[in-house]
Amino acid sequence: VKNECDPAWALLGEQLEAEDALLRLAAVVGLGYAYAGACREDLLENLTPTIVDTACTVECSAMAAVSLGLIFAASCNDEVAQAILQTLIERQAVEGALSGTWPHFFAVGLGLLYLGQQDACEATLAALDSITHPVGKYAKLTVESMAFA
């Protein structure tokens, strides 16, 4: 459903800069759901900094990856893929940054980009080899599974 007023962006866009981390997280997830499949470049510009900024919580960064995965689902968008890969590489250098449940959502966001696209994910799978943390292996499995789903 399209609306010229763009109410989802009007309500959630300003919350991306909110001081409250939970409010920021809700805005990121809401934008992902609202614009799933839309491939909107303005959302790429607004959500990518949330992924790559290591000062952001891992929860917010990971859910921004999922949101961009939803927005650019099955598009093989290289900019989104590079942002997620860069973040995984940078965060693996920080002790404990990829521990826990939340980092697995980076893999989900990456996998959504290649949903049903089969061999288009080969370059990303090769790039995931540089991630030595166990989440890298999980990401490879997730991307390959979603690509051939």
Side-chain angles (χ1 to χ4, degrees):
V1 176
K2 304 228 184 224
N3 188 320
E4 63 190 47
C5 296
D6 207 3
W9 176 253
L11 292 169
L12 299 171
E14 64 190 37
Q15 301 306 324
L16 291 175
E17 303 297 324
E19 291 294 321
D20 182 12
L22 192 56
L23 195 56
R24 199 168 45 248
L25 178 63
V28 164
V29 172
L31 288 170
Y33 288 153
Y35 296 104
C39 293
R40 284 188 39 175
E41 293 294 323
D42 60 326
L43 294 171
L44 174 65
E45 293 170 15
N46 284 292
L47 290 174
T48 300
T50 307
I51 295 175
V52 297
D53 185 5
T54 53
C56 282
T57 64
V58 71
E59 293 91 347
C60 199
S61 289
M63 290 313 293
V66 171
S67 290
L68 281 176
L70 286 169
I71 293 165
F72 290 92
S75 70
C76 303
N77 186 295
D78 192 50
E79 289 180 63
V80 178
Q82 290 302 318
I84 296 171
L85 288 167
Q86 174 189 344
T87 301
L88 285 171
I89 291 167
E90 288 175 6
R91 287 188 185 254
Q92 82 173 342
V94 178
E95 183 71 32
L98 293 179
S99 299
T101 305
W102 287 103
H104 291 85
F105 286 98
F106 287 111
V108 173
L110 200 52
L112 285 167
L113 294 173
Y114 298 100
L115 190 64
Q117 299 302 306
Q118 299 184 355
D119 292 326
C121 69
E122 290 301 320
T124 299
L125 291 174
L128 284 168
D129 285 332
S130 67
I131 299 168
T132 56
H133 190 279
V135 84
K137 188 174 181 180
Y138 175 82
K140 279 188 75 169
L141 180 66
T142 302
V143 169
E144 195 165 18
S145 298
M146 290 183 150
F148 287 93

